[in-house]
Amino acid sequence: MTAIAATMQAFFTERLAAQRRASPDTIAAYRDALRMLIGFAAERTGTLPCRLDVADLDAPMIAAFLDHLEHERGNSIRTRNARLAAIHSLFAYAALRHPEHAADIERVLAIPPKKADQAIITFLTDDEASALLAAPDRATRTGRRDHAWITLAIQTGLRASELTALARGDVHLGAGAYVACHGKGRKDRITPLTPGTAATLRTWLAERAGTPGDPLFGTIRGGPVSRDALQQRLTVYAAAAGRSCPSLASKNITPHVLRHTAAMRLLHAGNDITVIALWLGHFSGVPKLSQTVSFRTDARGECQTFWIPCAM
């Protein structure tokens, strides 16, 4: 077994899975990036994938692979940089295990990410959000379910993965209503609910009978709705809402746009950026302590105070 083969196996089993406890999505993304790199290098060098070594994956080969991603596979700069991050992570780990290849590894680690144009953040205005919320047919169970999760997404800014992972027991509708979620990077947080959102979820929970561990937003068969399904339903509702709100026609509405909408509502209500970051689960630069935080959830409303436990 070559040095890179043994290192790559240990990288996934020891470094990512055991030491960093990386999420399945992160492991899958790194796996796909490195699998494409190995396939590309094997084709370029005429060497079997199992025979490739560190010297075969030098800086020129990595640079050629990154160009291949952009120009032949049509990957965006953001995707290209994500693939490079996976490669950097592997080689940083290899540097500790194979100092004899330090020079080759150092040159790979020196490859910088590529600067990308900053995309304009898309979010919904109040009129657009109202039109979107009116689109689901609440005479049907699916329409009521979709109205509930869209309402929750616009108010809380939960990620699509967080919405699909919610269970009935994650919603707490007593005094100081909130929803608890297991977020990106294995970070747990709770997000307060406004009275309107709490009322919508209370109605949905009364219909969505089951145990606390059942999916909050389930399919007819009882399983959790998928992220692809969220996007598909959102596309249908955006098209319908566009007939009464023409400005929606120029926007590509995704679950992440609903997250942006929540952030912009908090910003327009006068909240500090660090408070918004805490709300959305971006903990970098935010005190990593449980704390009492005041949120303005409406530009016209009064300040509401919530205790936010930040489980890190």
Side-chain angles (χ1 to χ4, degrees):
M1 182 180 290
T2 63
I4 195 65
T7 300
M8 191 173 297
Q9 180 175 328
F11 174 69
F12 281 98
T13 59
E14 297 177 13
R15 178 62 172 167
L16 292 184
Q19 297 175 6
R20 294 186 58 187
R21 294 186 64 233
S23 70
D25 287 343
T26 297
I27 292 175
Y30 278 34
R31 176 205 64 203
D32 292 344
L34 297 175
R35 183 168 57 189
M36 284 190 285
L37 171 62
I38 293 300
F40 177 82
E43 184 177 346
R44 281 291 185 96
T45 63
T47 304
L48 291 174
C50 61
R51 300 282 186 184
L52 290 172
D53 211 337
V54 175
D56 298 310
L57 301 176
D58 56 9
M61 179 64 74
I62 302 301
F65 171 66
L66 296 174
D67 287 341
H68 164 75
L69 292 178
E70 274 194 82
H71 303 130
E72 296 182 39
R73 291 184 62 91
N75 288 172
S76 67
I77 293 177
R78 183 184 297 274
T79 299
R80 179 254 193 209
N81 288 342
R83 306 292 193 202
L84 177 60
I87 294 169
H88 277 170
S89 185
L90 170 65
F91 275 76
Y93 179 72
L96 301 174
R97 297 171 61 95
H98 298 289
E100 69 275 16
H101 293 294
D104 287 333
I105 291 172
E106 182 180 9
R107 283 190 284 271
V108 171
L109 293 176
I111 299 174
K114 197 169 188 177
K115 291 185 177 180
D117 295 334
Q118 294 295 319
I120 296 175
I121 294 178
T122 302
F123 64 96
L124 303 182
T125 64
D126 288 346
D127 288 342
E128 290 168 344
S130 296
L132 185 64
L133 286 168
D137 181 5
R138 277 178 274 176
T140 67
R141 180 188 179 280
T142 298
R144 292 189 293 273
R145 179 202 67 188
D146 293 346
H147 177 265
W149 74 255
I150 293 172
T151 298
L152 181 64
I154 289 175
Q155 190 252 293
T156 62
L158 294 183
R159 300 176 178 91
S161 59
E162 294 166 347
L163 288 167
T164 58
L166 287 176
R168 295 181 79 257
D170 294 326
V171 179
H172 302 265
L173 298 177
Y178 66 90
V179 61
C181 75
H182 188 60
K184 186 177 180 181
R186 299 185 184 275
K187 298 183 179 74
D188 294 329
R189 74 181 190 280
I190 67 171
T191 305
L193 300 175
T194 60
T197 303
T200 298
L201 290 178
R202 187 174 290 108
T203 301
W204 170 245
L205 282 171
E207 177 177 355
R208 172 65 173 159
T211 67
D214 289 340
L216 177 61
F217 302 115
T219 63
I220 295 176
R221 296 181 178 179
V225 66
S226 68
R227 283 182 284 181
D228 287 343
L230 293 188
Q231 180 59 70
Q232 188 271 335
R233 302 303 299 170
L234 203 53
T235 299
V236 170
Y237 295 136
R243 291 192 282 271
S244 61
C245 186
S247 61
L248 282 171
S250 63
K251 296 183 176 181
N252 179 29
I253 310 301
T254 67
H256 213 70
V257 169
L258 306 187
R259 182 169 165 82
H260 292 165
T261 301
M264 292 305 295
R265 285 186 166 188
L266 290 167
L267 184 64
H268 291 161
N271 291 287
D272 185 81
I273 292 294
T274 56
V275 173
I276 297 173
L278 179 61
W279 182 287
L280 296 177
H282 291 295
F283 294 108
S284 298
V286 179
K288 298 180 180 181
L289 298 171
S290 299
Q291 56 186 288
T292 299
V293 181
S294 294
F295 290 100
R296 294 181 179 86
T297 55
D298 190 300
R300 298 182 297 271
E302 296 182 356
C303 198
Q304 300 184 53
T305 301
F306 303 96
W307 183 72
I308 307 295
C310 301
M312 302 303 293

